[in-house]
Amino acid sequence: MTAEAAQTMGFQTEAKRLLHLMIHSLYSNREIFLRELISNASDAIDKHRFAVISEPDLGAQTGGYRVRVEADAENKTITIDDNGIGMSRDEVIDNLGTIAKSGTAAFMEQLSGDQKADSQLIGQFGVGFYSSFIVADRVVVVTRKAGDASATRWESEGEDEFTISGAEREEAGTTVTLHLKADADEFADSWRVRSVIKKYSDHISVPVMMPEPPPPADDEAADPPSSEVEWQPVNEAKALWTRSRSEISDEEYQAFYKHVSSDFEDALTWSHNAVEGKLEYTSLLYLPQRAPFDLWHREGARGLKLYIQRTFIMDEAEQFLPMYLRFVKGVLDSSDLPLNVSRELLQQNQQVDSMRGALTKRVLDMLSKMAAKEPETYERFWDTFGVVLKEGPGEDFTNREKVAELLRFASTRDDLPVQRLSLKQYVEAMKEGQQTIYYVVAENHATAKNSPHIEALRKQGIEVLLLSDRVDEWLMSHLGEYDSKALRDCAKGEWEDAEDDTAKEALEEAEKASESLIERMQGVLSERVATIRPTVRLTSSPACLTVAEHEMGAQMRRMMEAAGQAMPESKPTMEINVGHPLLQRLDQEADEERFADLAQILLDQAVLAEGSALEDPADYVARLNKLLVEMSDS
Ligand code: ADP
């Protein structure tokens, strides 16, 4: 025994809340605690295996790696014992006394009060160990860190505090003993436990052993129980990805997905491939159904679990897939990389680059196949991860055509409000002679749909893509073209109007007719706009704003400003619909002050219609009210 006295410590506040929940609220699906504890044990063994590579002195564990599970019906306990990496005293306090992960806050927020759903959330947020308290009213952990001489004992009844003391343990590893609650004694029954292990842990690569099953009670010929326990493997104990596809059931793939992703829902689909040749590796890539809570944290967890020759190397190896595929989960097992590979090394390794290229194609192919064969599943994928995929053409020039095929948009076709239209479908439905794919970008769908910039196209029955995601303008600028058809932002550049032969003449006429009007307007508005010119792109609105072909659009500009970027001053072009009654009225206005008011209002309205904010809204309101009063006076 060590001389160290037992020390009692309080759980961190969040840990306390979580424990309270485990103890008092979660009754359904209680068996998951075993999955969590075996998963921890298996991770600890992976870590030991990895540690031995750099510190050979640690040596192998006697008898090989294994997890032992023992159910004791007499004492109403279940014990999970591993010979993995173990924990030092400080690590025990840190790992089992606090919740370090930011994910737990998100976990707490997502609790619905529905016990079944809530208990499923546990696994997702990696609060696994505490699930012991769903079935136990006292938990004892004895652990010894590999390389350390002494062991530590941790004990708690949940709720407020835990006790730490010194302990004895022959080998590195961890033993977790659960003293089961009276209503959870089913887990002291070895047959019950055996079936739970089969259900959740078949794919785990270390053997999970249980004592040889006792002979049936009525078998009188049975030998008297020997004191030597015979341990027998209960699970398949073969890393799932090393088996051949035809041998693996969908259920096994899904169970493994939950193990690698900490997701509680099934995966949407997966792709499992063994590659041989210059580079040898196996990949098993999954697409989740749901976005993780940290999808938008650039620093959020992403990447694959990396194994090298079956040895676990690291979680979240993010070098094997581009950022825009960060939702992909799974495993990569390489035969070529050195076992002592580090994150730094991964960043500048040619083999890694080749694998990254191949895995990226693999995911994009998986998506194309899904889009072609299971369009409804693809729609679900798109609604969840489409916005992330839209980062693709900007990030990955090589694959931008492949990504382009996967994009979906809302459009003016039947006022399609959701993103369902592919560029291919757009092109197939183009009018004869149409060479351009038109789109408009706005803050939201309604603004895009009612944008003045697309009035003429609408009238001609030409389809326009309606874009309202933040990345859309960026996406389109990187895409440039599709199927040799230029992509054209309707709010940019001059409207020469290739789709209508008569437009050119109409425009020339309008130019002639509006020379003096434009001169007068320029006199009033020159501080706010670069130029004023007539246009044929409007049919029902009196005016709109445009920017030059290669300038930043209004939507992008707003986004950059919102992100705190100082933007260079840039004046838009004001385009006017000369045939509109308001402009004709303006042309005839002899009173200079009223002319100025009307011109300013016209410009302000064009600003509002594109979804931008007025610089001086009070001024706009005052002018408009002045006109309204004059109108009612006359
Ligand atoms: P998670 O496993 O998701 O990190 P847990 O609450 O289950 O969350 O465990 C917290 C931490 O405690 C683990 O990350 C690990 O460092 C440590 N731990 C848990 N079980 C074991 C074990 N059997 N052996 C070694 N370390 C363990």
Side-chain angles (χ1 to χ4, degrees), residues 40-41 44 47 82 85-87 95-96 101 126-129 174:
N40 280 351
K47 284 181 198 159
D82 67 67
I85 192 78
M87 286 176 271
N95 292 334
L96 308 186
K101 294 200 197 97
V127 286
F129 172 76
T174 303

Side-chain angles (χ1 to χ4, degrees), residues 36-37 39-45 47 82 84-87 91 95-96 98 101 123 125-130 143 173-176 262:
E36 298 297 316
L37 295 180
S39 185
N40 280 351
S42 142
D43 288 349
I45 286 171
K47 284 181 198 159
D82 67 67
I85 192 78
M87 286 176 271
E91 283 170 340
N95 292 334
L96 308 186
T98 61
K101 294 200 197 97
F125 290 98
V127 286
F129 172 76
Y130 292 117
T143 181
T174 303
T175 309
V176 181
S262 305

Side-chain angles (χ1 to χ4, degrees), residues 247-267:
E247 279 176 19
I248 307 173
S249 68
D250 285 2
E251 288 73 29
E252 286 177 291
Y253 273 121
Q254 293 288 16
F256 184 69
Y257 167 69
K258 288 170 193 160
H259 173 67
V260 290
S261 67
S262 305
D263 194 351
F264 57 90
E265 268 178 300
D266 279 353

Side-chain angles (χ1 to χ4, degrees), residues 58-72:
L58 290 180
Q61 299 286 55
T62 30
Y65 291 110
R66 85 289 175 287
V67 180
R68 285 178 176 167
V69 179
E70 193 167 12
D72 182 340

Side-chain angles (χ1 to χ4, degrees), residues 300-511:
R302 66 183 189 96
L304 305 175
K305 242 183 194 316
L306 175 64
Y307 287 75
I308 295 176
Q309 295 161 33
R310 318 278 178 268
T311 301
F312 168 77
I313 304 296
M314 65 177 83
D315 279 313
E316 296 163 22
E318 73 267 7
Q319 293 81 356
F320 294 94
L321 284 171
M323 194 71 182
Y324 72 97
L325 298 180
R326 60 182 172 276
F327 45 81
V328 176
K329 305 276 184 198
V331 167
L332 174 68
D333 188 344
S334 154
S335 304
D336 308 297
L337 293 170
L339 277 167
N340 61 356
V341 78
S342 64
R343 274 183 204 276
E344 292 67 47
L345 216 103
L346 288 179
Q347 267 158 17
Q348 25 166 309
N349 180 300
Q350 262 192 347
Q351 292 170 327
V352 173
D353 288 346
S354 314
M355 281 190 265
R356 176 189 170 104
L359 292 172
T360 302
K361 287 220 164 56
R362 179 88 60 204
V363 174
L364 295 178
D365 287 346
M366 173 162 52
L367 290 172
S368 321
K369 214 164 97 189
M370 192 202 281
K373 295 200 173 144
E374 300 167 73
E376 280 172 23
T377 315
Y378 186 73
E379 283 174 10
R380 280 173 57 202
F381 162 80
W382 180 260
D383 290 341
T384 313
F385 297 112
V387 207
V388 182
L389 203 63
K390 283 178 174 179
E391 297 170 13
E395 186 188 350
D396 182 0
F397 187 78
T398 330
N399 287 305
R400 82 187 182 294
E401 278 164 24
K402 262 186 192 290
V403 177
E405 297 294 347
L406 296 168
L407 301 171
R408 297 292 180 269
F409 300 101
S411 110
T412 49
R413 184 187 301 192
D414 308 323
D415 277 327
L416 182 71
V418 279
Q419 300 179 8
R420 292 287 175 262
L421 192 80
S422 68
L423 290 172
K424 188 158 178 241
Q425 286 170 303
Y426 181 101
V427 169
E428 279 166 1
M430 275 178 24
K431 291 205 142 185
E432 217 185 297
Q434 185 182 341
Q435 289 302 324
T436 309
I437 299 172
Y438 295 98
Y439 66 89
V440 65
V441 191
E443 184 90 354
N444 53 52
H445 179 74
T447 313
K449 187 173 128 185
N450 299 318
S451 164
H453 299 104
I454 63 173
E455 283 172 4
L457 289 173
R458 254 189 201 281
K459 203 167 151 205
Q460 293 165 61
I462 291 172
E463 184 165 24
V464 180
L465 302 176
L466 304 174
L467 313 187
S468 53
D469 276 337
R470 296 184 133 227
V471 308
D472 281 336
E473 188 174 342
W474 194 73
L475 161 71
M476 289 314 212
S477 67
H478 281 93
L479 219 46
E481 58 167 45
Y482 170 81
D483 193 15
S484 310
K485 318 263 183 311
L487 292 162
R488 169 103 206 251
D489 184 337
C490 296
K492 286 188 182 174
E494 291 201 36
W495 202 246
E496 70 292 342
D497 207 336
E499 314 303 338
D500 179 0
D501 299 336
T502 61
K504 223 177 165 128
E505 283 165 37
L507 189 61
E508 276 166 18
E509 245 169 68
E511 270 163 4

